[in-house]
Amino acid sequence: LYYVPDSLTTFKYIRLNVHFMDDSKGDKNFSLEEGRRYMKALIDNANFRLGENHKMNLPPGNSTPALEPRYRYKIVGAGLSDEDDGFYKHYDDDLYYFVNKGKYKNNYNRDVIDAYAIGADSIINIFVMPHHPDSLHSSYYKPHRTGIALGTSLKIAGMIEEGSEAWNFATLLNHEIGHILGLSHSWLRHDRCEDTPPHSNCWSQTGTPPCEGVVSNNMMDYNASQMAITPCQLGIVHKGFSKHSSRNRKLVKKNLCTLDVSKDIIIDQEVSWYGARDIVHNIDILENGILHIYCRLSLPENARITVYPGGKIILHDATLHNDCGDKWYGIELQTRGELSGELICYGKCKISDTYNEKDNINQTLQ
């Protein structure tokens, strides 16, 4: 809950690229030009739906807030060439297809990812795959829209067979990326969130048990909406973005390093920060303002924390640094007459990466 996004949570942009798999004839999937248009529209709509974040349907009568998720997707190239825009077409008779049931199912198989993923340590690789033509000839196999997340990549299928508008796949994409970002299916009892009640996972309301009443609209369930994300789920996602050593932090586009001088963060009362944060603004602690920091805090290049006379910054086993390889100006304690700003340190406090190295702190104070 310390990572539930608020107005100070910096927007995160998750890097994506897209691979269109095809056989050697090149007629089983989108062309690169068609696929580029389709997936740009799909990802734009997925971003729109993230921003909509509907109120939870369950439990009936709930008061669960519908927060701004404060993350979106951005298609990026890996810098392989001047023309690398993050869209790729591959021809491979052995690895181009998706089969999600039967003897030859390969939904959990990573071979296509191992062969063609680009920059998978910092980019989510999306593999757009057709269902196998032999499966399409079977009356028992339905080439429906489907996907699966595997590490920092995902496979998605059904687009070319369904022939529907790109927006129809937007919530499926959000669901699968949700898995990559640490979210579990939310109809289960063990998804780590109390604001996602267990339920029967009905696709829609049918009027008969167990789907006679209100059904879920959560993004991580299988339902016709998938348009709601709870505060706890967003906390899990942003904890992954904020944890310094996490895999998911590497997926974030580097928009956390540039100082935004359009406004300062103003602390004019007692405030506590518990979850690690990446701040892109200067911080002003006014008279009678007290900022408690219990976490890692990264500040951008040339940022500063100003503690005005009568204000306090109190560090509790906290680390203040710049996570971009740059320098910041540190903490300025201002004085007016006998009244000064204060820096207080409890436990192990670390201040690093400042322009004036003598202002750095790496010690334990009581």
Side-chain angles (χ1 to χ4, degrees):
L1 294 179
Y2 295 152
Y3 293 88
V4 173
D6 57 27
S7 61
L8 299 181
T9 302
T10 305
F11 249 88
K12 311 297 193 304
Y13 292 92
I14 312 307
R15 290 178 285 221
L16 312 178
N17 63 29
V18 183
H19 305 258
F20 302 98
M21 299 304 304
D22 215 332
D23 69 358
S24 56
K25 294 181 180 178
D27 59 0
K28 303 297 190 299
N29 205 343
F30 297 109
S31 70
L32 185 58
E33 293 74 19
E34 293 170 332
R36 182 184 287 111
R37 288 194 297 269
Y38 189 95
M39 288 302 294
K40 282 185 175 180
L42 192 161
I43 291 167
D44 283 347
N45 192 262
N47 276 330
F48 170 78
R49 289 170 183 265
L50 279 175
E52 286 283 283
N53 195 14
H54 291 182
K55 187 180 185 304
M56 280 280 286
N57 287 347
L58 297 177
N62 73 84
S63 58
T64 305
L67 304 177
E68 163 57 61
R70 302 192 76 80
Y71 74 92
R72 299 291 192 274
Y73 313 129
K74 181 76 172 178
I75 304 167
V76 300
L80 301 181
S81 68
D82 292 340
E83 293 75 35
D84 183 0
D85 62 354
F87 292 95
Y88 312 99
K89 176 92 175 185
H90 309 290
Y91 304 89
D92 190 315
D93 288 334
D94 296 322
L95 298 177
Y96 77 92
Y97 58 87
F98 189 101
V99 179
N100 69 336
K101 77 179 287 190
K103 179 179 178 181
Y104 299 105
K105 69 178 182 179
N106 68 348
N107 47 348
Y108 287 96
N109 188 291
R110 292 183 51 91
D111 288 350
V112 68
I113 295 169
D114 295 339
Y116 293 107
I118 299 172
D121 61 334
S122 59
I123 304 172
I124 292 178
N125 284 242
I126 302 170
F127 288 83
V128 179
M129 307 174 74
H131 290 277
H132 197 285
D134 289 349
S135 298
L136 301 181
H137 295 150
S138 170
S139 60
Y140 298 101
Y141 188 91
K142 305 299 180 186
H144 60 276
R145 65 185 74 167
T146 186
I148 188 167
L150 299 167
T152 58
S153 298
L154 65 91
K155 301 194 288 189
I156 192 167
M159 296 173 178
I160 200 75
E161 294 84 6
E162 191 170 296
S164 60
E165 295 291 332
W167 63 264
N168 284 288
F169 284 80
T171 56
L172 173 61
L173 182 71
N174 286 339
H175 176 101
E176 297 304 334
I177 292 180
H179 283 311
I180 292 173
L181 300 182
L183 299 181
S184 303
H185 289 135
S186 57
W187 71 84
L188 305 173
R189 292 186 180 275
H190 305 294
D191 73 336
R192 297 177 288 160
C193 286
E194 293 182 356
D195 53 13
T196 57
H199 58 87
S200 299
N201 195 32
C202 298
W203 180 258
S204 60
Q205 192 178 74
T206 64
T208 58
C211 304
E212 73 278 20
V214 177
V215 300
S216 175
N217 62 339
N218 191 268
M219 184 179 80
M220 298 310 298
D221 293 326
Y222 296 147
N223 59 71
S225 173
Q226 294 183 309
M227 287 286 289
I229 320 171
T230 70
C232 173
Q233 289 175 313
L234 290 172
I236 289 173
V237 168
H238 281 277
K239 183 178 181 181
F241 294 153
S242 300
K243 189 175 179 182
H244 196 244
S245 59
S246 76
R247 178 195 71 181
N248 288 349
R249 185 172 177 82
K250 298 176 183 177
L251 300 174
V252 176
K253 188 175 184 292
K254 291 295 185 183
N255 64 312
L256 309 176
C257 299
T258 303
L259 178 64
D260 182 352
V261 296
S262 64
K263 64 177 182 179
D264 291 346
I265 296 172
I266 304 298
I267 306 296
D268 57 5
Q269 56 187 315
E270 191 161 6
V271 175
S272 296
W273 290 348
Y274 292 97
R277 289 177 179 263
D278 298 274
I279 295 294
V280 295
H281 303 283
N282 292 313
I283 300 173
D284 293 337
I285 304 173
L286 306 186
E287 184 174 358
N288 299 320
I290 304 174
L291 177 58
H292 296 268
I293 302 179
Y294 294 82
C295 57
R296 181 191 64 79
L297 177 67
S298 176
L299 296 106
E301 184 179 17
N302 295 332
R304 70 174 74 240
I305 299 174
T306 303
V307 186
Y308 287 84
K312 295 180 182 179
I313 181 169
I314 305 177
L315 308 182
H316 306 260
D317 294 309
T319 295
L320 278 59
H321 71 135
N322 173 280
D323 196 37
C324 305
D326 300 315
K327 299 287 187 180
W328 63 295
Y329 282 109
I331 301 172
E332 178 187 349
L333 303 176
Q334 293 195 348
T335 299
R336 185 179 67 247
E338 296 183 356
L339 192 62
S340 297
E342 292 184 66
L343 166 62
I344 301 170
C345 207
Y346 296 108
K348 185 176 182 181
C349 305
K350 183 175 182 180
I351 300 174
S352 61
D353 308 316
T354 62
Y355 280 113
N356 191 346
E357 294 295 332
K358 73 179 181 63
D359 292 335
N360 288 345
I361 296 174
N362 188 4
Q363 59 185 329
T364 299
L365 302 178
Q366 296 297 331

